[in-house]
Amino acid sequence: MQIQGFVAPTFQRVAEAFGENFTVRGDGAAQCCVHVDGKKVIDLWGGYDEDSIQVVFSATKGATAACANLLIQRGLLDLAALVIDDWPEYGVNGKDKTLVRWILSHKA
């Protein structure tokens, strides 16, 4: 397994922790890219072969939460509203009583 990429000297500990994902935690593939004040300070990738793919789970949760909260603050999203108020097609197969808050909390 080979780790490739770039790490700014002050972030070397991150590179070490990244390597531990493979040697200690048994990961098969990983990527990490970090920008600080608009400057790339970490850009690492590694895997057990050149075709290794890192599956991305929940990567958009932070952006979704930020956008949803901004819409709530602006009065454009109501957590107590029914999803079908804005997306009528969603209401099939008994989902017509689903609340927006349930969608955002993965309860729907």
Side-chain angles (χ1 to χ4, degrees):
M1 198 280 312
Q2 183 180 11
I3 295 174
Q4 300 177 32
F6 162 80
V7 178
T10 55
F11 292 89
Q12 191 56 43
R13 180 61 190 116
V14 175
E16 294 167 12
F18 184 82
E20 291 171 2
N21 283 322
F22 302 102
T23 60
V24 176
R25 297 177 192 90
D27 284 354
Q31 293 86 36
C32 178
C33 186
V34 177
H35 289 77
V36 175
D37 295 326
K39 180 181 176 191
K40 187 185 301 184
V41 295
I42 300 167
D43 190 5
L44 295 172
W45 61 92
Y48 287 105
D49 62 50
E50 70 267 6
D51 296 324
S52 293
I53 298 173
Q54 177 62 38
V55 180
V56 178
F57 293 106
S58 304
T60 60
K61 282 184 180 176
T64 300
C67 290
N69 281 295
L70 184 59
L71 291 171
I72 292 164
Q73 183 181 32
R74 292 179 179 175
L76 300 171
L77 182 63
D78 179 5
L79 293 177
L82 295 171
V83 174
I84 61 168
D85 292 347
D86 292 309
W87 184 12
E89 299 84 359
Y90 180 85
V92 299
N93 300 321
K95 298 186 294 184
D96 57 310
K97 301 295 184 209
T98 302
L99 299 177
V100 170
R101 76 173 67 250
W102 296 346
I103 293 283
L104 293 172
S105 64
H106 296 277
K107 292 182 180 180

